[in-house]
Amino acid sequence: MTTPSMVSPDSLTPFDALPQLSQRPSRATLVLFFSLLLAGLTYTFYSLQQDVSASGTLVTTVTPFLLLGLALLIALGFEFVNGFHDTANAVATVIYTHSLPASVAVVWSGLCNFLGVLLSSGAVAFGIIALLPVELILQAGSSAGFAMIFSLLLAAIIWNLGTWWLGLPASSSHTLIGSIIGVGVANALMHGRDGTSGVDWGQASKVGYALLFSPLIGFVCAALLLLALRALVKRRELYRAPEGQTPPPWWIRGLLILTCTGVSFAHGSNDGQKGMGLIMLILVGTLPMAYALNKTMPNEQALQFSAVAEVTRQALVRSAPQPAPADPRQTLTDFISEPKASPALIPALAALTGMVGEEVKGYGSLKRVPAEAMANVRNDMYLTSEVIRLLDKHQLASFDADTARHVQLFKRQLDDATRYIPLWVKVAVAIALGLGTMVGWKRIVVTVGEKIGKTHLSYAQGASAEVVAMCTIGAADMFGLPVSTTHVLSSGVAGAMVANGSGLQRRTLINLLMAWVLTLPAAMLLAGCLYWLLNQVF
């Protein structure tokens, strides 16, 4: 019979089976940590200085660079907080099944997060940016643009730190998306429009469905996987709590370490891109002469761009031969604010397409675009691309097959010219996320490992939850969807507990549900208020 002194007060877990989480980092670990931090910051600002010098920018005032430095530190701070807030998603199962010591697990997870960021595609980064109001993206260097960036980053950091302090595995993705929606709604209200017009609700609903269904997928699939494992593998020790500090059988231990690796890599690949997208907005707004356009595009591709633009313009003119409006940019900007078909829409698109093609053809390549024209050329490209996207999304134009093919080819060319991420941005975000993974992980690891189920996490439960989390997040990254690593993993642990008949701790489930429900509205309110306040300051 187990005596009360042998049982954890928060669950039915024997104390001798609990992992050792209180080791203090060694001096060598601290030296390595701060060395990497210093190296990352040095590399970031050195790369920034090189890019500014290469662009021929004349430094007449330090104010933009001070704002840029502050914005970059806040953006990298968000990724750092994201790292230690979400560490538990990958390491809780390997720690509580004694597959890896805690110190080894978090360092390994940090390294895999680092590699995940470096090898990411960038699709999620620009999926996040698509949620932001286009008018603010086009004015990224204005006071409203800076207020937008600072408010959504600060709101996300504040909420992440608050939930981390309470040990609640809330979602960083959920938090950031709520912040973006809050800024969009506040911006619309401040300009006298209906608050619902400030957000691309189609894109928001796509992201919302991913966030809504990913926990359900985690719960159901982890439960089914555990039941399948029980039916196929008849080894009782896999479905019981570990005895003391005994590690699992070698094959299940290898699977747990593999899934820890996969979840860490997928988390870096998915969550790291959110910071990349925001940093690119900061760079475009502050230093358009260096970052507004993809200067790595070869000269021959720029010439091809001009040719595709002219063919697309001619196809659009044939499909709508009416005369273009006097100010095609304004017509297209009004369309983005309220997507509705009008007789002037396609002629305006044809006119701006021709202007963009002529601009690039006149300069010969994107590298030769003068610094003073860089922001305007980029805005014309971005505006054209967004109009094409919205026309396709709302099916507001009935092009023939040949015209539709030319329009989509031109959009891909526009995106290649404006949507890119320099290597140093990836490295900076990778270091911030990787180092953050090694700090402050204990609070949420304890929640996931001890406070979801009523019994200690078994080997099979940990493996089931991690396999499902790894596959779900990896699939989301392929489709450019920012799912919640936290929700997938914690719901997977809950599903595995239910399938094993272990039971769930009601108080923890209520807290998790409250964090899941409140994160979006709280982040929206916080970001909206900060946006209004920072607009007054700037």
Side-chain angles (χ1 to χ4, degrees):
M1 181 176 177
T2 304
T3 63
S5 62
M6 296 171 61
V7 178
S8 166
D10 294 316
S11 66
L12 301 180
T13 303
F15 278 117
D16 63 352
L18 293 176
Q20 301 299 316
L21 302 179
S22 301
Q23 302 100 322
R24 296 180 65 85
S26 65
R27 181 174 298 178
T29 302
L30 292 174
V31 169
L32 178 62
F33 178 89
F34 286 106
S35 297
L36 289 173
L37 180 61
L38 181 61
L41 291 174
T42 302
Y43 174 68
T44 297
F45 287 103
Y46 172 77
S47 300
L48 191 60
Q49 187 269 332
Q50 291 293 103
D51 289 347
V52 171
S53 298
S55 69
T57 305
L58 295 176
V59 180
T60 57
T61 174
V62 298
T63 303
F65 293 93
L66 291 176
L67 282 174
L68 173 62
L70 180 60
L72 284 177
L73 287 176
I74 293 175
L76 294 174
F78 165 74
E79 286 299 339
F80 186 84
V81 172
N82 185 6
F84 70 71
H85 189 276
D86 288 3
T87 312
N89 304 319
V91 302
T93 54
V94 291
I95 291 174
Y96 274 84
T97 56
H98 308 304
S99 299
L100 286 175
S103 57
V104 175
V106 295
V107 171
W108 178 245
S109 179
L111 176 61
C112 294
N113 269 280
F114 177 87
L115 294 175
V117 176
L118 287 185
L119 299 175
S120 60
S121 64
V124 174
F126 297 110
I128 285 288
I129 290 177
L131 288 172
L132 291 164
V134 174
E135 64 190 82
L136 289 181
I137 295 176
L138 296 177
Q139 303 172 30
S142 66
S143 59
F146 276 109
M148 169 186 70
I149 294 294
F150 282 122
S151 58
L152 64 89
L153 283 172
L154 289 173
I157 289 172
I158 291 168
W159 184 256
N160 270 355
L161 286 175
T163 52
W164 165 80
W165 183 258
L166 297 173
L168 296 176
S171 165
S172 297
S173 302
H174 218 157
T175 305
L176 183 59
I177 290 165
S179 300
I180 290 172
I181 293 174
V183 168
V185 171
N187 181 66
L189 293 174
M190 288 169 63
H191 287 83
R193 302 197 307 268
D194 181 0
T196 58
S197 66
V199 178
D200 182 348
W201 292 105
Q203 182 72 11
S205 62
K206 179 182 174 183
V207 172
Y209 287 136
L211 291 173
L212 174 64
F213 289 114
S214 54
L216 300 178
I217 291 171
F219 184 93
V220 173
C221 291
L224 292 176
L225 184 58
L226 182 66
L227 292 174
L229 196 60
R230 289 180 69 110
L232 296 173
V233 182
K234 305 293 185 180
R235 296 184 62 171
R236 292 185 178 180
E237 68 270 20
L238 296 181
Y239 313 103
R240 293 197 300 257
E243 295 181 3
Q245 303 294 313
T246 306
W250 68 268
W251 64 273
I252 199 79
R253 187 179 192 182
L255 178 61
L256 284 161
I257 294 173
L258 176 65
T259 52
C260 168
T261 303
V263 171
S264 299
F265 184 88
H267 176 261
S269 180
N270 196 282
D271 277 40
Q273 293 189 57
K274 296 156 192 171
M276 289 183 210
L278 295 173
I279 287 175
M280 288 311 300
L281 273 184
I282 294 167
L283 293 172
V284 167
T286 312
L287 297 170
M289 65 292 295
Y291 297 105
L293 297 175
N294 183 4
K295 295 183 180 181
T296 62
M297 181 184 285
N299 291 350
E300 57 272 18
Q301 191 173 343
L303 294 174
Q304 182 188 16
F305 178 97
S306 303
V308 172
E310 178 58 23
V311 171
T312 305
R313 185 193 69 79
Q314 293 176 5
L316 289 170
V317 168
R318 286 195 301 270
S319 67
Q322 298 94 332
D327 188 355
R329 292 184 182 89
Q330 188 59 50
T331 300
L332 298 181
T333 302
D334 293 341
F335 167 74
I336 283 177
S337 299
E338 191 174 357
K340 289 183 179 178
S342 69
L345 180 60
I346 302 303
L349 179 60
L352 191 57
T353 297
M355 290 179 192
V356 169
E358 285 299 318
E359 286 172 336
V360 175
K361 182 179 179 181
Y363 296 125
S365 76
L366 298 184
K367 296 176 186 176
R368 297 176 188 163
V369 178
E372 61 273 13
M374 196 72 72
N376 290 333
V377 173
R378 180 189 184 277
N379 281 357
D380 285 347
M381 289 182 174
Y382 193 88
L383 182 60
T384 305
S385 176
E386 283 299 294
V387 169
I388 294 172
R389 181 180 71 84
L390 290 174
L391 282 173
D392 184 53
K393 174 186 170 185
H394 297 290
Q395 299 181 341
L396 295 176
S398 54
F399 298 132
D400 59 62
D402 193 49
T403 301
R405 181 172 57 82
H406 287 308
V407 168
Q408 290 304 318
L409 175 60
F410 184 52
K411 184 182 187 308
R412 286 196 292 273
Q413 298 264 9
L414 290 168
D415 291 344
D416 287 343
T418 57
R419 300 186 176 191
Y420 74 104
I421 299 173
L423 177 62
W424 72 262
V425 172
K426 283 191 172 187
V427 172
V429 170
I431 291 174
L433 189 65
L435 292 180
T437 301
M438 304 177 196
V439 176
W441 47 270
K442 181 178 176 182
R443 289 177 182 272
I444 297 177
V445 163
V446 170
T447 298
V448 174
E450 297 180 28
K451 298 182 179 179
I452 293 179
K454 291 184 176 179
T455 62
H456 191 288
L457 195 70
S458 70
Y459 306 134
Q461 287 170 329
S464 300
E466 286 280 16
V467 166
V468 169
M470 179 179 68
C471 294
T472 304
I473 300 161
D477 188 37
M478 290 176 59
F479 291 105
L481 295 174
V483 300
S484 165
T485 311
T486 304
H487 291 160
V488 174
L489 192 279
S490 55
S491 61
V493 171
M497 288 286 178
V498 170
N500 203 44
S502 304
L504 300 173
Q505 294 192 45
R506 183 178 177 183
R507 186 175 68 177
T508 301
L509 286 182
I510 292 174
N511 288 339
L512 290 174
L513 182 62
M514 289 295 291
W516 186 76
V517 170
L518 292 177
T519 291
L520 199 63
M524 288 172 61
L525 181 62
L526 189 57
C529 292
L530 283 170
Y531 178 70
W532 176 86
L533 178 63
L534 290 175
N535 261 292
Q536 312 308 311
V537 172
F538 282 118

